[in-house]
């Protein structure tokens, strides 16, 4: 029995010794492999631990001014959740590239800017915008190898702009590089460009420009095999149809919006309820602008639009804002259909179809 116990302890001693030896001989690439494994598992604490170990080994083997060390700093920046650390790690990686005269810093500026914009607020967002602008400058100065990152930099800056002219400027710049996008990201980025441009024009009342943008989306989606192609087309039908209605082409607009409504009627109601509600509201507007107007259809579509909210058990502030916008659309539809009635008649009708059943209200900034 004692011999058996001694044998077990001997094996354990050998195994532990082997593990200790293996740990003592792990190189920075081994730690990077472990970090990648933990990244896939979304265990970011363990990922960072192994990246820090990899950095120690790389500094000893490769030195401070090496691309291997720079890439570890980059991966640490992508891993961290604190924007101060993200800023610090990416700046170290960028400094190495600049000191050894290596091209490729544009990609680091892009990744830093994207992370800072997505993870931060206030000063972090400002620094993120600066970084994205620097990425664009370097891509355009030195010739770019990654048009996806260039276009995405423009898109991120466009989304952060409140000034329409500046936002459109970034979108136009992104569009100018559209032909060089990769097949992998061409669908997503192209749709984002035209969609944002179209919505901007629509909200500004420039309906011909909005129609052109969403027609581009429809052309791109017509033969697409992407799984979200029909959903993309539904939104394009809806907004372009509304643009046609406002351009006094109500029948054409109605036909497009009906395609969107048909899609939303069979689509997941909970997932796309805001889009579906808006489509029914615009369809009510289209009926209201027909000659002669479809009075009954206006009332029915208006009630359908608001039913997406009135039947919910809980309401968010986004829902309330959407209802206000839908009210604005329905008022136009109602007044076009019933010019003989007063504003108070519309208010009475709207109150009657907008009574909420929700017992819980959530307000999120």
């Amino acid at each position: 029995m004692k011999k058996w116990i001694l044998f077990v302890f001997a094996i354990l001693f050998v195994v532990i010794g082997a593990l200790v030896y293996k740990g003592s001989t792990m190189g920075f690439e081994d730690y990077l492999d472990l970090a990648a494994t933990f990244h896939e598992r979304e265990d970011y604490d363990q990922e960072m631990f192994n990246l820090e170990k990899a950095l120690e080994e790389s500094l000893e083997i490769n030195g401070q001014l090496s691309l291997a060390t720079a890439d570890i700093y980059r991966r640490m920046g992508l891993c961290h959740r604190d924007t101060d650390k993200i800023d610090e790690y990416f700046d170290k990686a960028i400094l190495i590239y600049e000191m050894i005269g290596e091209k490729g810093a544009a990609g680091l500026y892009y990744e830093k800017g994207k992370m800072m914009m997505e993870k931060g607020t206030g000063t972090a967002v400002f620094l993120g915008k600066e970084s994205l602008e620097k990425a664009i400058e370097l891509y355009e100065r030195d010739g770019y190898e990654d048009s996806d990152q260039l276009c995405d930099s423009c898109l991120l800056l466009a989304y952060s702009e409140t000034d329409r002219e500046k936002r459109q400027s970034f979108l136009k710049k992104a569009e100018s590089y559209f032909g060089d996008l990769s097949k992998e990201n061409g669908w997503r980025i192209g749709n984002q460009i035209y969609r944002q441009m179209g919505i901007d024009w629509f909200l500004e009342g420039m309906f011909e420009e909005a129609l052109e943008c969403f027609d581009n989306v429809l052309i791109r989606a017509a033969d697409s095999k992407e799984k979200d192609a029909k959903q993309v087309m539904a939104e394009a039908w809806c907004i372009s149809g509304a643009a046609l209605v406002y351009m006094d082409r109500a029948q054409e607009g109605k036909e497009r919006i009906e395609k969107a409504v048909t899609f939303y009627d069979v689509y997941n109601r909970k997932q796309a309820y805001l889009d579906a509600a808006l489509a029914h509201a615009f369809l009510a507007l289209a009926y209201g602008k027909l000659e002669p107007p479809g009075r009954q259809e206006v009332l029915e579509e208006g009630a359908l639009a608001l039913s997406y909210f009135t039947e919910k058990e809980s309401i968010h502030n986004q829902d309330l804002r959407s209802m206000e916008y839908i009210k604005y659309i329905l008022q136009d539809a109602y007044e076009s259909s019933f010019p003989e009635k007063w504003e108070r008649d519309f208010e009475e009708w709207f109150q009657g179809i907008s009574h909420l059943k929700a017992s819980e209200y959530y307000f999120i900034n």
Side-chain angles (χ1 to χ4, degrees), residues 42 45 105 116 150 155 176 181 200 202 217 221 264-265 286 352 355:
E42 298 183 357
D45 289 338
M116 297 289 277
L150 175 58
L155 280 173
S176 70
L181 289 171
D200 278 355
F202 185 86
V217 173
Y264 290 128
D265 281 348
H355 182 68

Side-chain angles (χ1 to χ4, degrees), residues 144-152 174 177-191 193 220 226:
Y144 54 88
E145 296 179 358
D146 194 328
S147 297
D148 294 4
Q149 290 187 351
L150 175 58
C151 284
D152 212 23
Y177 295 109
F178 177 74
D180 297 310
L181 289 171
S182 70
K183 183 178 180 180
E184 179 184 1
N185 290 319
W187 167 255
R188 175 184 64 83
I189 293 176
N191 287 341
I193 292 170
R220 284 165 45 79
E226 298 288 340

Side-chain angles (χ1 to χ4, degrees), residues 200-346:
D200 278 355
W201 290 129
F202 185 86
L203 294 177
E204 288 289 322
M206 303 181 74
F207 301 118
E208 290 186 9
E209 291 82 354
L211 179 62
E212 181 180 351
C213 289
F214 282 107
D215 277 348
N216 283 330
V217 173
L218 290 170
I219 291 169
R220 284 165 45 79
D223 299 318
S224 175
K225 303 300 182 184
E226 298 288 340
K227 60 183 180 181
D228 64 337
K230 289 185 178 180
Q231 189 175 354
V232 169
M233 292 182 77
E235 182 186 48
W237 281 324
C238 179
I239 307 300
S240 64
L244 285 166
V245 172
Y246 284 120
M247 292 164 62
D248 296 325
R249 295 161 62 180
Q251 182 59 39
E252 293 177 69
K254 181 179 79 71
E255 291 170 2
R256 289 201 185 198
I257 300 168
E258 284 174 336
K259 291 181 180 180
V261 167
T262 299
F263 171 79
Y264 290 128
D265 281 348
V266 297
Y267 193 64
N268 187 322
R269 182 182 175 95
K270 291 182 179 179
Q271 186 173 339
Y273 73 94
L274 293 174
D275 295 327
L278 189 62
H280 281 286
F282 279 134
L283 187 54
L285 180 67
Y287 277 115
K289 299 293 185 180
L290 290 175
E291 291 293 342
R295 292 187 168 194
Q296 186 59 34
E297 290 83 354
V298 167
L299 301 179
E300 291 173 356
E301 292 299 328
L304 278 171
L306 290 173
S307 70
Y308 286 87
F309 307 100
T310 57
E311 295 175 6
K312 293 185 68 178
E313 295 180 359
S314 60
I315 290 288
H316 291 74
N317 51 341
Q318 182 183 7
D319 296 324
L320 297 176
R321 287 195 295 268
S322 296
M323 289 181 69
E324 279 298 313
Y325 184 55
I326 285 174
K327 179 181 180 180
Y328 167 80
I329 297 169
L330 293 182
Q331 184 166 6
D332 191 358
Y334 188 92
E335 291 175 355
S336 297
S337 300
F338 304 98
E340 73 280 5
K341 294 194 174 184
W342 300 85
E343 185 175 345
R344 66 172 178 269
D345 295 314
F346 165 75

